[in-house]
C-alpha cells in the first residue's frame, strides 16, 4: 500500500516578499528612470541659474553693497524648492500607477495583509529617496558652485550638513506623498495635492502679514520643510520643523494603512 503525499506550496504574504516585490516593481518600470533623468536635468538647470545669478549680482553691486561668497550647499536647498515636485512624483508613481493599471488588485491578492503593502512601499522608498536626495543635492551644489566661480564657498562641513538636510527633507516629503497617494489614488489628484501642500499654500501663507497664517504655514508639511532647510527659527526651530514634517509623513502613511484596510481596491 502506498501513501500519496501532496505538497501544497503556500503563497507567502510576508513583509520580506512584499518588500522584494516593491523593489522589483520600482526599478522595472520606465517611469522611474525617466523621473530620475528629468529631476537631474531640472536640478542642474536650476543650480546653473542660481549660480549665474549670484555671480552677476556680486559683480553688479549697488553703491554701498559688499560682495560675499555663497555656500554651494545653499544652491541645493534653493533648487529643491522646485525639484521636490519631481521627487514627490517618483514616490507617488509606486502607488498611483498600480491604481491606474488595475495591478493593485494583484498586489493585494499576493499580499493579503494590507498594512504590509503600505509598509513595504515605505521600506523600499526610504533609502531610495534618501539616496535620490543626496544625488540631486550633489548635482546642484557642484553645478551651482562651478557657475558661481570665485563667489562659491566650498566649506566641506557646511556642504555635508546641507546635503544631508536636503536628503532627509526629500525622504519625508516623498513618504508624505506616498501616503496621500493611497488616499487619493489618482496621479493627477495626488500630484496636485502634493504641489499645493508642499509649495504653494505654505509659500503664500508664510508671506502674509498675519501672524496666524505664518504659524499655519509653518505647521504644513511644505512650510515645516522649508523652515528646516533654511535653518529658520521663526516661528519654529529647525528641530521642531523637522518633527512636524516627520509627523506629517508618518500620519499620511498611517491614514493610508487605515483606508487601505477598510475599502476595496
Amino acid at each position: 500500500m502506498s501513501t500519496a503525499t501532496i505538497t501544497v506550496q503556500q503563497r507567502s504574504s510576508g513583509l520580506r516578499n512584499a518588500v522584494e516585490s516593491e523593489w522589483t516593481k520600482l526599478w522595472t518600470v520606465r517611469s522611474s528612470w525617466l523621473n530620475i533623468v528629468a529631476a537631474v536635468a531640472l536640478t542642474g538647470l536650476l543650480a546653473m541659474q542660481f549660480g549665474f545669478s549670484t555671480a552677476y549680482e556680486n559683480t553688479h553691486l549697488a553703491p554701498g553693497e559688499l560682495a560675499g561668497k555663497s555656500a554651494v550647499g545653499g544652491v541645493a536647498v534653493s533648487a529643491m524648492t522646485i525639484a521636490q515636485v519631481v521627487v514627490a512624483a517618483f514616490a507617488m508613481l509606486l502607488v498611483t500607477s498600480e491604481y491606474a493599471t488595475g495591478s493593485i488588485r494583484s498586489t493585494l491578492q499576493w499580499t493579503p495583509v494590507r498594512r504590509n503593502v503600505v509598509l513595504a512601499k515605505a521600506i523600499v522608498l526610504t533609502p531610495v529617496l534618501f539616496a535620490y536626495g543626496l544625488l540631486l543635492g550633489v548635482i546642484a551644489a557642484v553645478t551651482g558652485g562651478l557657475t558661481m566661480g570665485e563667489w562659491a564657498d566650498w566649506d566641506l562641513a557646511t556642504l555635508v550638513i546641507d546635503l544631508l538636510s536636503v536628503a532627509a527633507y526629500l525622504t519625508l516629503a516623498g513618504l508624505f506623498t506616498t501616503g496621500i497617494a493611497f488616499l487619493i489614488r489618482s496621479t493627477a489628484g495626488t500630484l496636485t495635492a502634493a504641489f499645493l501642500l508642499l509649495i504653494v499654500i505654505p509659500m503664500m501663507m508664510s508671506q502674509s502679514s498675519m501672524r496666524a497664517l505664518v504659524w499655519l504655514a509653518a505647521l504644513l508639511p511644505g512650510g515645516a520643510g522649508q523652515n528646516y532647510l533654511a535653518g529658520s527659527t521663526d516661528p519654529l526651530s529647525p528641530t521642531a520643523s523637522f518633527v512636524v514634517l516627520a509627523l506629517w509623513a508618518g500620519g499620511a502613511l498611517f491614514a493610508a494603512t487605515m483606508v487601505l484596510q477598510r475599502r476595496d481596491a
Side-chain angles (χ1 to χ4, degrees), residues 173-196:
L175 292 177
F176 167 73
T177 306
T178 303
I180 63 174
F182 274 106
L183 305 180
I184 299 175
R185 298 194 284 189
S186 77
T187 300
T190 302
L191 196 58
T192 301
F195 183 67
L196 291 175

mmCIF file of all heavy atoms in Angstrom, residues 173-196:
data_model
loop_
_atom_site.group_PDB
_atom_site.id
_atom_site.type_symbol
_atom_site.label_atom_id
_atom_site.label_comp_id
_atom_site.label_asym_id
_atom_site.label_seq_id
_atom_site.Cartn_x
_atom_site.Cartn_y
_atom_site.Cartn_z
ATOM 1 N N ALA A 173 9.257 64.172 2.554
ATOM 2 C CA ALA A 173 8.266 64.709 1.613
ATOM 3 C C ALA A 173 7.765 63.613 0.679
ATOM 4 O O ALA A 173 6.569 63.550 0.346
ATOM 5 C CB ALA A 173 8.875 65.861 0.808
ATOM 6 N N GLY A 174 8.664 62.730 0.264
ATOM 7 C CA GLY A 174 8.259 61.618 -0.597
ATOM 8 C C GLY A 174 7.365 60.634 0.115
ATOM 9 O O GLY A 174 6.376 60.143 -0.453
ATOM 10 N N LEU A 175 7.679 60.318 1.361
ATOM 11 C CA LEU A 175 6.835 59.399 2.128
ATOM 12 C C LEU A 175 5.459 60.015 2.395
ATOM 13 O O LEU A 175 4.434 59.314 2.375
ATOM 14 C CB LEU A 175 7.521 59.041 3.452
ATOM 15 C CG LEU A 175 8.796 58.197 3.322
ATOM 16 C CD1 LEU A 175 9.420 57.975 4.691
ATOM 17 C CD2 LEU A 175 8.492 56.852 2.662
ATOM 18 N N PHE A 176 5.435 61.322 2.650
ATOM 19 C CA PHE A 176 4.151 62.010 2.810
ATOM 20 C C PHE A 176 3.317 61.881 1.533
ATOM 21 O O PHE A 176 2.116 61.586 1.580
ATOM 22 C CB PHE A 176 4.395 63.482 3.143
ATOM 23 C CG PHE A 176 3.175 64.345 3.027
ATOM 24 C CD1 PHE A 176 2.161 64.279 3.973
ATOM 25 C CD2 PHE A 176 3.024 65.229 1.957
ATOM 26 C CE1 PHE A 176 1.023 65.069 3.851
ATOM 27 C CE2 PHE A 176 1.903 66.017 1.832
ATOM 28 C CZ PHE A 176 0.888 65.937 2.784
ATOM 29 N N THR A 177 3.954 62.080 0.391
ATOM 30 C CA THR A 177 3.252 61.971 -0.886
ATOM 31 C C THR A 177 2.771 60.541 -1.129
ATOM 32 O O THR A 177 1.677 60.328 -1.672
ATOM 33 C CB THR A 177 4.172 62.419 -2.033
ATOM 34 O OG1 THR A 177 4.679 63.718 -1.752
ATOM 35 C CG2 THR A 177 3.417 62.458 -3.345
ATOM 36 N N THR A 178 3.560 59.567 -0.731
ATOM 37 C CA THR A 178 3.140 58.164 -0.867
ATOM 38 C C THR A 178 1.871 57.904 -0.065
ATOM 39 O O THR A 178 0.948 57.221 -0.534
ATOM 40 C CB THR A 178 4.261 57.231 -0.376
ATOM 41 O OG1 THR A 178 5.453 57.493 -1.106
ATOM 42 C CG2 THR A 178 3.862 55.774 -0.564
ATOM 43 N N GLY A 179 1.828 58.455 1.132
ATOM 44 C CA GLY A 179 0.641 58.265 1.972
ATOM 45 C C GLY A 179 -0.607 58.866 1.351
ATOM 46 O O GLY A 179 -1.654 58.211 1.280
ATOM 47 N N ILE A 180 -0.513 60.091 0.864
ATOM 48 C CA ILE A 180 -1.715 60.711 0.289
ATOM 49 C C ILE A 180 -2.057 60.087 -1.061
ATOM 50 O O ILE A 180 -3.199 60.170 -1.508
ATOM 51 C CB ILE A 180 -1.555 62.245 0.155
ATOM 52 C CG1 ILE A 180 -0.428 62.622 -0.801
ATOM 53 C CG2 ILE A 180 -1.343 62.886 1.502
ATOM 54 C CD1 ILE A 180 -0.337 64.118 -1.053
ATOM 55 N N ALA A 181 -1.089 59.430 -1.703
ATOM 56 C CA ALA A 181 -1.387 58.725 -2.960
ATOM 57 C C ALA A 181 -2.359 57.571 -2.712
ATOM 58 O O ALA A 181 -3.233 57.298 -3.535
ATOM 59 C CB ALA A 181 -0.099 58.207 -3.596
ATOM 60 N N PHE A 182 -2.203 56.894 -1.569
ATOM 61 C CA PHE A 182 -3.145 55.829 -1.216
ATOM 62 C C PHE A 182 -4.538 56.401 -0.957
ATOM 63 O O PHE A 182 -5.544 55.728 -1.197
ATOM 64 C CB PHE A 182 -2.666 55.081 0.026
ATOM 65 C CG PHE A 182 -1.706 53.974 -0.272
ATOM 66 C CD1 PHE A 182 -0.358 54.106 0.016
ATOM 67 C CD2 PHE A 182 -2.148 52.780 -0.833
ATOM 68 C CE1 PHE A 182 0.532 53.079 -0.248
ATOM 69 C CE2 PHE A 182 -1.263 51.747 -1.104
ATOM 70 C CZ PHE A 182 0.087 51.897 -0.812
ATOM 71 N N LEU A 183 -4.612 57.615 -0.436
ATOM 72 C CA LEU A 183 -5.900 58.225 -0.117
ATOM 73 C C LEU A 183 -6.600 58.725 -1.374
ATOM 74 O O LEU A 183 -7.809 58.565 -1.534
ATOM 75 C CB LEU A 183 -5.712 59.380 0.866
ATOM 76 C CG LEU A 183 -4.968 59.065 2.170
ATOM 77 C CD1 LEU A 183 -4.867 60.316 3.036
ATOM 78 C CD2 LEU A 183 -5.653 57.946 2.923
ATOM 79 N N ILE A 184 -5.844 59.342 -2.277
ATOM 80 C CA ILE A 184 -6.434 59.962 -3.472
ATOM 81 C C ILE A 184 -6.500 58.981 -4.643
ATOM 82 O O ILE A 184 -7.432 59.009 -5.443
ATOM 83 C CB ILE A 184 -5.625 61.225 -3.849
ATOM 84 C CG1 ILE A 184 -5.674 62.228 -2.691
ATOM 85 C CG2 ILE A 184 -6.172 61.858 -5.126
ATOM 86 C CD1 ILE A 184 -4.820 63.464 -2.895
ATOM 87 N N ARG A 185 -5.471 58.161 -4.797
ATOM 88 C CA ARG A 185 -5.385 57.057 -5.765
ATOM 89 C C ARG A 185 -5.137 57.494 -7.211
ATOM 90 O O ARG A 185 -4.748 56.686 -8.022
ATOM 91 C CB ARG A 185 -6.645 56.163 -5.710
ATOM 92 C CG ARG A 185 -6.826 55.494 -4.373
ATOM 93 C CD ARG A 185 -7.836 54.384 -4.424
ATOM 94 N NE ARG A 185 -9.200 54.864 -4.467
ATOM 95 C CZ ARG A 185 -10.258 54.085 -4.342
ATOM 96 N NH1 ARG A 185 -10.103 52.780 -4.206
ATOM 97 N NH2 ARG A 185 -11.467 54.593 -4.369
ATOM 98 N N SER A 186 -5.370 58.727 -7.567
ATOM 99 C CA SER A 186 -5.118 59.151 -8.950
ATOM 100 C C SER A 186 -3.824 59.947 -9.020
ATOM 101 O O SER A 186 -3.441 60.651 -8.073
ATOM 102 C CB SER A 186 -6.272 60.007 -9.471
ATOM 103 O OG SER A 186 -6.202 61.317 -8.951
ATOM 104 N N THR A 187 -3.158 59.850 -10.172
ATOM 105 C CA THR A 187 -1.881 60.547 -10.354
ATOM 106 C C THR A 187 -2.067 62.063 -10.335
ATOM 107 O O THR A 187 -1.344 62.784 -9.630
ATOM 108 C CB THR A 187 -1.243 60.122 -11.688
ATOM 109 O OG1 THR A 187 -1.012 58.706 -11.655
ATOM 110 C CG2 THR A 187 0.069 60.836 -11.920
ATOM 111 N N ALA A 188 -3.047 62.546 -11.110
ATOM 112 C CA ALA A 188 -3.259 63.994 -11.190
ATOM 113 C C ALA A 188 -3.665 64.571 -9.839
ATOM 114 O O ALA A 188 -3.166 65.625 -9.416
ATOM 115 C CB ALA A 188 -4.318 64.308 -12.245
ATOM 116 N N GLY A 189 -4.573 63.888 -9.149
ATOM 117 C CA GLY A 189 -5.041 64.389 -7.854
ATOM 118 C C GLY A 189 -3.941 64.404 -6.817
ATOM 119 O O GLY A 189 -3.802 65.374 -6.053
ATOM 120 N N THR A 190 -3.147 63.349 -6.783
ATOM 121 C CA THR A 190 -2.057 63.285 -5.800
ATOM 122 C C THR A 190 -0.999 64.343 -6.081
ATOM 123 O O THR A 190 -0.516 65.010 -5.166
ATOM 124 C CB THR A 190 -1.405 61.893 -5.833
ATOM 125 O OG1 THR A 190 -2.396 60.904 -5.574
ATOM 126 C CG2 THR A 190 -0.312 61.790 -4.786
ATOM 127 N N LEU A 191 -0.636 64.499 -7.340
ATOM 128 C CA LEU A 191 0.383 65.486 -7.679
ATOM 129 C C LEU A 191 -0.100 66.904 -7.369
ATOM 130 O O LEU A 191 0.671 67.740 -6.890
ATOM 131 C CB LEU A 191 0.752 65.370 -9.162
ATOM 132 C CG LEU A 191 2.046 66.058 -9.592
ATOM 133 C CD1 LEU A 191 3.227 65.530 -8.797
ATOM 134 C CD2 LEU A 191 2.292 65.862 -11.075
ATOM 135 N N THR A 192 -1.383 67.159 -7.615
ATOM 136 C CA THR A 192 -1.937 68.479 -7.300
ATOM 137 C C THR A 192 -1.898 68.739 -5.798
ATOM 138 O O THR A 192 -1.494 69.816 -5.343
ATOM 139 C CB THR A 192 -3.382 68.578 -7.814
ATOM 140 O OG1 THR A 192 -3.401 68.370 -9.221
ATOM 141 C CG2 THR A 192 -3.973 69.935 -7.495
ATOM 142 N N ALA A 193 -2.328 67.757 -5.026
ATOM 143 C CA ALA A 193 -2.336 67.916 -3.563
ATOM 144 C C ALA A 193 -0.918 68.119 -3.030
ATOM 145 O O ALA A 193 -0.681 68.971 -2.158
ATOM 146 C CB ALA A 193 -2.981 66.694 -2.918
ATOM 147 N N ALA A 194 0.027 67.334 -3.546
ATOM 148 C CA ALA A 194 1.416 67.473 -3.088
ATOM 149 C C ALA A 194 1.971 68.843 -3.456
ATOM 150 O O ALA A 194 2.658 69.486 -2.652
ATOM 151 C CB ALA A 194 2.272 66.371 -3.713
ATOM 152 N N PHE A 195 1.668 69.300 -4.664
ATOM 153 C CA PHE A 195 2.162 70.611 -5.104
ATOM 154 C C PHE A 195 1.612 71.729 -4.212
ATOM 155 O O PHE A 195 2.339 72.652 -3.825
ATOM 156 C CB PHE A 195 1.739 70.832 -6.561
ATOM 157 C CG PHE A 195 2.239 72.114 -7.164
ATOM 158 C CD1 PHE A 195 3.595 72.308 -7.396
ATOM 159 C CD2 PHE A 195 1.361 73.132 -7.497
ATOM 160 C CE1 PHE A 195 4.066 73.490 -7.947
ATOM 161 C CE2 PHE A 195 1.823 74.315 -8.052
ATOM 162 C CZ PHE A 195 3.174 74.493 -8.274
ATOM 163 N N LEU A 196 0.331 71.628 -3.877
ATOM 164 C CA LEU A 196 -0.284 72.666 -3.044
ATOM 165 C C LEU A 196 0.246 72.635 -1.614
ATOM 166 O O LEU A 196 0.566 73.676 -1.035
ATOM 167 C CB LEU A 196 -1.805 72.485 -3.044
ATOM 168 C CG LEU A 196 -2.518 72.788 -4.371
ATOM 169 C CD1 LEU A 196 -3.999 72.442 -4.264
ATOM 170 C CD2 LEU A 196 -2.345 74.247 -4.759
#
